[in-house]
Amino acid sequence: MMLGFWLCLIPALLFCLHGAKLPEPEVKSEVLYKPFLCHRKTKYGDMLLVHYDGFLESNGTMFHSSRQEGDKHPVWFTLGIREVIKGWDKGLQNMCAGEKRKLTIPPSLAYGKEGKGKIPPESTLIFEIELIEIRNGPRSHESFQEMDLNDDWKLSKSEVKEYLRKEFERHGYPPNDTHHEAMVEDIFKQEDDDKDGYISAREFTYQHDEL
Ligand SMILES: *[C@@H]1O[C@H](CO)[C@@H](O)[C@H](O)[C@H]1NC(C)=O
Ligand SMILES: *[C@@H]1O[C@H](CO)[C@@H](O)[C@H](O)[C@H]1NC(C)=O
Ligand SMILES: [Ca+2]
Ligand SMILES: [Ca+2]
């Protein structure tokens, strides 16, 4: 799997966006159902298709259900890029297709002091989530080629920086050179195993074990 890059990018991204490594409250995760067969588990950068029911912990009110509201279809999202609340990014890792989990998510990993819609400020949320399908996320072989602007099968710091700039824009964050440079340094520290100043296709592809 081509996710080595994500494994380092995401902690760097979170670090850069929040500026501090304060210990964060944890998501409580209970497995409600685990399928017998599990040939792959979710990782950062994967695309997940889920059905979910969300409840307020305070009084058990359901505030959203993908099965009962809207078009009643399950929803796709990419794990680990803050497309969803932090509690989902943290709580839906290492999950098998078909698995069901119950997550209890503190407000700081959900909608915080402001709340949102039917969710009052400072709410702890409970989600029951069924993972229907896992697909490879955008960081695959194709994305290496997309990043490698001069086709020399290795990524320079400026190529990675350019890619980060585009990714930030795509996800609606304003580009910020200072942040991107710090992220690039972080990424190279972890990914450039032979310290030659480039991330080779092999270094990019190779699974890192840090997480
Ligand atoms: C549960 O709490 C929410 C938010 O405080 C409130 O809007 C809702 O009416 C409550 N439901 C019940 C059944 O008490
Ligand atoms: C860019 O990042 C730096 C370093 O964290 C920060 O001090 C600065 O305010 C940011 N600039 C913008 C425009 O967000
Ligand atoms: Ca290159
Ligand atoms: Ca290298």
Side-chain angles (χ1 to χ4, degrees), residues 12-185:
L13 180 72
L14 295 177
F15 176 75
C16 290
L17 290 175
H18 296 288
K21 268 182 184 159
L22 294 173
E24 277 185 330
E26 288 303 305
V27 174
K28 189 173 146 211
S29 172
E30 295 161 65
V31 175
L32 301 178
Y33 174 78
K34 191 132 193 159
F36 182 65
L37 288 174
C38 181
H39 72 280
R40 97 172 256 199
K41 289 182 176 182
T42 55
K43 288 199 175 67
Y44 283 122
D46 282 347
M47 288 169 58
L48 275 53
L49 181 67
V50 298
H51 256 316
Y52 68 98
D53 299 315
F55 306 87
L56 302 176
E57 192 198 39
S58 59
N59 65 11
T61 302
M62 183 190 280
F63 60 83
H64 190 77
S65 167
S66 61
R67 284 195 179 80
Q68 294 172 26
E69 291 165 41
D71 60 11
K72 299 179 184 171
H73 291 316
V75 294
W76 283 106
F77 72 97
T78 304
L79 186 66
I81 62 167
R82 298 291 310 282
E83 197 180 315
V84 289
I85 56 172
K86 282 194 210 169
W88 277 34
D89 278 344
K90 283 172 175 272
L92 298 178
Q93 293 177 51
N94 290 316
M95 194 167 176
C96 308
E99 187 174 331
K100 287 184 199 164
R101 282 190 188 173
K102 178 176 168 183
L103 302 182
T104 304
I105 303 177
S108 61
L109 301 178
Y111 296 102
K113 290 189 181 70
E114 273 88 53
K116 191 184 177 198
K118 294 181 201 166
I119 300 165
E122 298 291 1
S123 294
T124 295
L125 304 181
I126 294 176
F127 284 97
E128 289 185 12
I129 301 173
E130 178 179 5
L131 177 57
I132 310 229
E133 192 181 335
I134 309 170
R135 286 194 191 156
N136 287 326
R139 208 163 297 279
S140 56
H141 269 305
E142 292 75 34
S143 66
F144 182 87
Q145 283 166 0
E146 190 192 316
M147 292 166 83
D148 181 18
L149 300 173
N150 67 353
D151 285 321
D152 64 355
W153 285 92
K154 53 190 192 181
L155 303 176
S156 66
K157 288 188 175 178
S158 69
E159 285 170 337
V160 173
K161 191 176 150 191
E162 178 61 18
Y163 184 75
L164 291 176
R165 203 184 54 74
K166 279 192 262 175
E167 283 291 287
F168 265 66
E169 250 165 19
R170 202 161 66 80
H171 294 292
Y173 295 109
N176 180 329
D177 259 20
T178 322
H179 272 173
H180 299 338
E181 263 154 35
M183 288 174 73
V184 168
E185 288 309 319

